[in-house]
Amino acid sequence: MLWTKRVQTYNGIAYKIGIIPQTAPRARNTAFELDFASPLESNKTWLGCQPHKLVSVDLRAGVKPMLSQLRQDLGTEVHEHQNESIRLTELLDQVNEGLNDKKEELEALEARLGSTIEQFNEIKDTTTAESSASNAQAETLERDLAMMRNSAQNGLIQLDQRAQSVSIEYEQLVHSTNALREELIRDVVKTLDDVIQFKLHIQTSLESLDAEANETGEEDGCQGASLN
């Protein structure tokens, strides 16, 4: 019973470390599983059997060297895992240190963000107030502009009406001026004609008087000669 329990313990540990069954990852196609060998037909008991014949595998020539090699391999793997663990620990420390730095940067950024948000809210409130005042001023200016536009339109209408009235008056004045000029031209022509006729009449009268004077002078000369 004791040997059976030890064999079961061995097989359990071997199974856990991956050397049984024979196709296990670390078995390397070697049979590590122990089992009690069946007694020979001529010997119905294990009494008098050699120890290495009591189990199903050769412990000294087969299992022990492989276990020694496995021990070395496991030691190497453990050492490699320890080195990898140290490397990962250092990497984790670096990552933690980097995370702490980033955390501090994040806290600083959050503080700056809070300050920026506060400034933004202040600027927003100020801008909103200024915008309201600007909107009110813009509405006032828009109303004033509308009034000025209406006044300008009314002024343009009045100016257009005045321009039309002046144009009509101008046309009437031009017509009257043309009529007056034609009348003056006719009067001037008539006056010139009268002056010419009067001049001709005076000239004719002077010629008649001159002729009469000459005749009178000749008659007086003849009478004087007769008296002498």
Side-chain angles (χ1 to χ4, degrees), residues 111-126:
R112 290 178 58 187
L113 178 61
S115 177
T116 303
I117 291 175
E118 184 177 357
Q119 293 179 0
F120 170 77
N121 291 330
E122 292 178 357
I123 294 173
K124 181 180 178 181
D125 294 338
T126 303

Side-chain angles (χ1 to χ4, degrees), residues 14 17-20 25-28 32 63-77:
I17 63 177
I19 59 176
I20 61 173
R26 292 191 175 94
R28 298 180 181 178
F32 287 96
V63 175
K64 185 176 181 180
M66 293 299 297
L67 289 177
S68 297
Q69 183 63 40
L70 179 61
R71 180 179 180 182
Q72 292 179 2
D73 294 341
L74 290 176
T76 302
E77 290 183 8

Side-chain angles (χ1 to χ4, degrees), residues 21 23 33 60-61 73 105-106 118 120 122 127 158 186 213 224:
T23 57
E33 187 173 2
R60 179 176 297 178
D73 294 341
E105 292 179 3
L106 180 61
E118 184 177 357
F120 170 77
E122 292 178 357
T127 304
Q158 294 177 359
R186 287 194 300 269

